[in-house]
Amino acid sequence: MPILSEAEHRIVSDAVEQAEATTSGEIVPVIAQMSDGYSDIALTWAAALAFTVMSVLLAFPEAATGQWDAVFAGGWSGEEWSLGNFASLVVGSGLVVFALVWLLLLIPAVRFALIPGPIKTQRVRDAAIRHFKVGADGQTHGKTGVLLYLSMSEHRAEIVADEPIHEKVDPDVWGEAMADMLAEIREGRVAEGIAAGVRDVGVVLSQHFPRGSDDENELPDRLIEL
């Protein structure tokens, strides 16, 4: 399903058109539901917990076998545990834990709760750069493209600019655009937030890259939804 409605797309498109009226820069807003599937993180958690359980069983073999007999044999198993049987218990327990954790982490809310914040930030940043290279990097005559990237599931946003812009505009300058954008988004007004960020970026670009009389609109004035 679309993230934003047609009317919300129009809010962003109008903001892009307005922002680009005074600058030769091109602004590309992008919104994604999720920047990464994080399957490697789920795999890491499942393997780590499975290894932990197996390590505990190996560290306390008598307690492990005694607990098994108490639960599954009513405490009446008088047989000695062979090395093969104990190895089967350890490996089997690890496999069960791995499978259960993996299945649990298929639930998006659970998986996202266990992903460290820095990893989310890096994955969103990587996705923003990747989409910038495809949709904006070097796509304009003066290499004056700026991408605003918003990832809904991670609750993170990034601004990526072409090298000529990066050389003239300190990254901290984009902080105001980011703050205005996130302030609206936190209130549930996603389209209005993106539009606010677009307008702020337009103000910065107009100061360093004013629009000339022969300037042409080189990229579509629209929100890209992934």
Side-chain angles (χ1 to χ4, degrees):
M1 292 182 61
I3 302 173
L4 298 180
S5 66
E6 184 176 342
E8 290 172 317
H9 272 260
R10 173 50 55 188
I11 291 174
V12 179
S13 298
D14 290 344
V16 174
E17 183 178 354
Q18 175 188 344
E20 292 182 353
T22 58
T23 177
S24 61
E26 296 285 342
I27 305 171
V28 181
V30 177
I31 184 171
Q33 186 61 59
M34 184 186 304
S35 292
D36 192 88
Y38 301 97
S39 58
D40 59 326
I41 304 301
L43 180 63
T44 299
W45 272 110
L49 291 177
F51 181 77
T52 299
V53 169
M54 293 169 69
S55 298
V56 171
L57 293 178
L58 289 171
F60 305 99
E62 293 184 2
T65 55
Q67 186 65 26
W68 178 275
D69 289 339
V71 173
F72 296 100
W76 287 94
S77 177
E79 299 180 4
E80 290 290 333
W81 279 74
S82 67
L83 181 60
N85 287 338
F86 182 66
S88 298
L89 173 62
V90 172
V91 174
S93 298
L95 291 175
V96 169
V97 170
F98 182 92
L100 290 176
V101 174
W102 177 260
L103 290 174
L104 181 63
L105 292 178
L106 291 178
I107 303 173
V110 177
R111 185 167 68 254
F112 268 83
L114 294 176
I115 300 171
I119 292 180
K120 291 180 182 178
T121 299
Q122 186 60 51
R123 296 291 171 90
V124 171
R125 177 67 177 172
D126 291 343
I129 293 174
R130 184 168 61 251
H131 292 300
F132 174 75
K133 290 180 177 179
V134 173
D137 187 18
Q139 300 296 317
T140 61
H141 178 71
K143 293 185 177 181
T144 53
V146 177
L147 181 139
L148 278 75
Y149 180 82
L150 177 65
S151 192
M152 298 299 292
S153 295
E154 289 89 347
H155 296 174
R156 281 163 172 76
E158 290 284 344
I159 297 178
V160 185
D162 260 318
E163 188 61 30
I165 297 175
H166 183 71
E167 292 176 352
K168 291 187 176 183
V169 181
D170 190 284
D172 293 339
V173 173
W174 303 123
E176 183 176 348
M178 190 71 72
D180 289 343
M181 179 167 62
L182 295 181
E184 293 283 353
I185 293 173
R186 290 190 187 99
E187 298 297 324
R189 297 185 291 270
V190 177
E192 290 80 357
I194 299 174
V198 166
R199 285 190 290 268
D200 286 350
V201 169
V203 171
V204 174
L205 290 178
S206 64
Q207 296 172 358
H208 299 278
F209 302 91
R211 184 168 188 173
S213 58
D214 59 344
D215 183 75
E216 295 182 2
N217 191 18
E218 298 175 274
L219 295 176
D221 298 337
R222 64 182 180 87
L223 172 66
I224 299 174
E225 189 170 311
L226 302 176

